[in-house]
């Protein structure tokens, strides 16, 4: 991805990223908004920002986290709860159906309900 960003960022944003970020149910206005926001940056900048994601040992870092970790994820990419629980001491996940990488934008009402559930868990 990094080399694609550097070679032709606009093409990558319009042709490659949608396969990773969106599902068929993702509203078109959300897709366009995000693509426009991505293109406010350069491909060089995007490469630099994303590079640590491919170099950091996330599992090693996760083992150091002692606070509860909660995720609200899309069903588009499988979240391995069992695998995450190997590394995070206290991990759980809620799933929103029919969204891409941005469930908080695609289904904000559903996301907010699940977020409220997570917050209530820590209220007591």
């Amino acid at each position: 991805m990094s080399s694609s960003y550097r070679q032709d960022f606009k093409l990558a944003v319009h042709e490659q990223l949608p396969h990773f970020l969106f599902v068929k149910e993702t509203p078109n206005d959300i897709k366009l908004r995000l693509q426009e926001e991505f293109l406010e940056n350069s491909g060089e900048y995007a490469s630099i920002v994303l590079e640590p994601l491919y170099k950091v040992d996330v599992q090693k870092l996760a083992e150091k986290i002692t606070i509860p970790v909660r995720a609200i994820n899309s069903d588009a990419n499988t979240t391995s709860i069992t695998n995450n629980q190997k590394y995070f001491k206290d991990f759980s996940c809620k799933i929103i159906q029919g969204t891409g990488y941005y469930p908080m934008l695609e289904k904000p009402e559903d996301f907010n309900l699940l977020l409220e559930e997570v917050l209530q868990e820590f209220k007591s």
Side-chain angles (χ1 to χ4, degrees):
M1 286 302 288
S2 187
S3 63
S4 295
Y5 289 169
R6 287 188 170 104
Q7 290 173 10
D8 191 339
F9 187 52
K10 187 173 183 177
L11 181 68
V13 166
H14 287 291
E15 300 295 328
Q16 292 177 334
L17 281 181
H19 299 288
F20 299 104
L21 302 180
F22 309 131
V23 293
K24 66 181 181 191
E25 297 90 355
T26 302
N28 221 28
D29 61 323
I30 301 283
K31 291 178 189 178
L32 293 173
R33 173 183 156 195
L34 289 167
Q35 289 172 320
E36 287 173 11
E37 288 178 11
F38 294 149
L39 291 172
E40 290 175 4
N41 299 289
S42 70
E44 182 67 26
Y45 178 75
S47 295
I48 291 167
V49 169
L50 293 174
E51 190 174 327
L53 293 175
Y54 301 104
K55 292 185 175 183
V56 172
D57 185 346
V58 177
Q59 293 170 344
K60 191 173 183 177
L61 289 175
E63 289 174 338
K64 295 179 181 181
I65 295 174
T66 59
I67 62 172
V69 175
R70 300 296 180 261
I72 301 173
N73 291 346
S74 159
D75 65 338
N77 296 303
T78 305
T79 300
S80 175
I81 294 171
T82 305
N83 196 43
N84 278 292
Q85 288 173 336
K86 287 181 199 174
Y87 300 101
F88 294 107
K89 291 172 180 46
D90 184 359
F91 177 85
S92 68
C93 181
K94 296 181 182 292
I95 302 295
I96 297 180
Q97 304 294 317
T99 66
Y101 193 78
Y102 298 95
M104 73 293 282
L105 299 177
E106 297 178 44
K107 291 189 176 179
E109 298 83 14
D110 294 354
F111 182 87
N112 287 338
L113 285 171
L114 294 177
L115 179 59
E116 184 62 34
E117 287 178 18
V118 169
L119 295 173
Q120 288 300 320
E121 176 185 345
F122 296 109
K123 196 171 184 177
S124 52

